[in-house]
Amino acid sequence: MQNNKLLASLCYFSVFFAPLLLPVIIYFISDNREIKYHAKRSLISHLVPTLLLIAGFVIFSFSMFSLTNQISGMSGDNFSFSFWQLTPFIFMLIYGLLFVIIVIWNIVQGVKVLK
């Protein structure tokens, strides 16, 4: 087995132990074009969940602000769920599904490179 294939597949498998760090290090250290290509692809696939997690934090912050405003202005029994209070649950479902898809995609790409 060639070291090039092993390094390229390791970039994809790094989703389990060093998602952003290892592809960046391999991208800048390696001189091989194929390894750089796979390192860049795996880095992009690792960045998607990270960016979505940041967006989720913003959504969660808005939902908490909305809940705080609703509780402070609440009078009696007119407490109802608004859109911002349901979005964290919807986001967690979408994020979980997308994360599983990305992990499976990284595993498949890593195995393809090893063959």
Side-chain angles (χ1 to χ4, degrees):
M1 183 175 299
Q2 297 175 350
N3 288 338
N4 296 342
K5 288 185 177 185
L6 188 61
L7 275 176
S9 67
L10 191 62
C11 289
Y12 291 111
F13 292 136
S14 71
V15 74
F16 295 113
F17 55 89
L20 297 174
L21 186 63
L22 189 66
V24 168
I25 291 172
I26 290 177
Y27 182 80
F28 286 118
I29 289 178
S30 176
D31 293 333
N32 190 332
R33 227 173 164 165
E34 183 182 351
I35 293 175
K36 283 188 177 246
Y37 171 75
H38 289 292
K40 187 173 25 172
R41 281 185 69 191
S42 67
L43 179 65
I44 291 170
S45 72
H46 296 141
L47 271 176
V48 170
T50 304
L51 294 176
L52 280 176
L53 197 59
I54 292 169
F57 179 73
V58 171
I59 289 172
F60 183 73
S61 298
F62 280 131
S63 70
M64 292 305 293
F65 180 71
S66 173
L67 181 65
T68 305
N69 283 343
Q70 190 173 8
I71 288 174
S72 65
M74 185 173 60
S75 61
D77 291 332
N78 57 357
F79 182 76
S80 62
F81 284 104
S82 68
F83 170 73
W84 285 110
Q85 290 153 351
L86 292 176
T87 50
F89 299 110
I90 295 169
F91 178 80
M92 285 189 292
L93 288 173
I94 293 171
Y95 180 79
L97 180 66
L98 185 68
F99 186 74
V100 167
I101 290 170
I102 288 175
V103 166
I104 291 171
W105 184 83
N106 277 304
I107 292 170
V108 168
Q109 293 301 317
V111 170
K112 272 186 182 179
V113 170
L114 280 178
K115 285 186 177 185

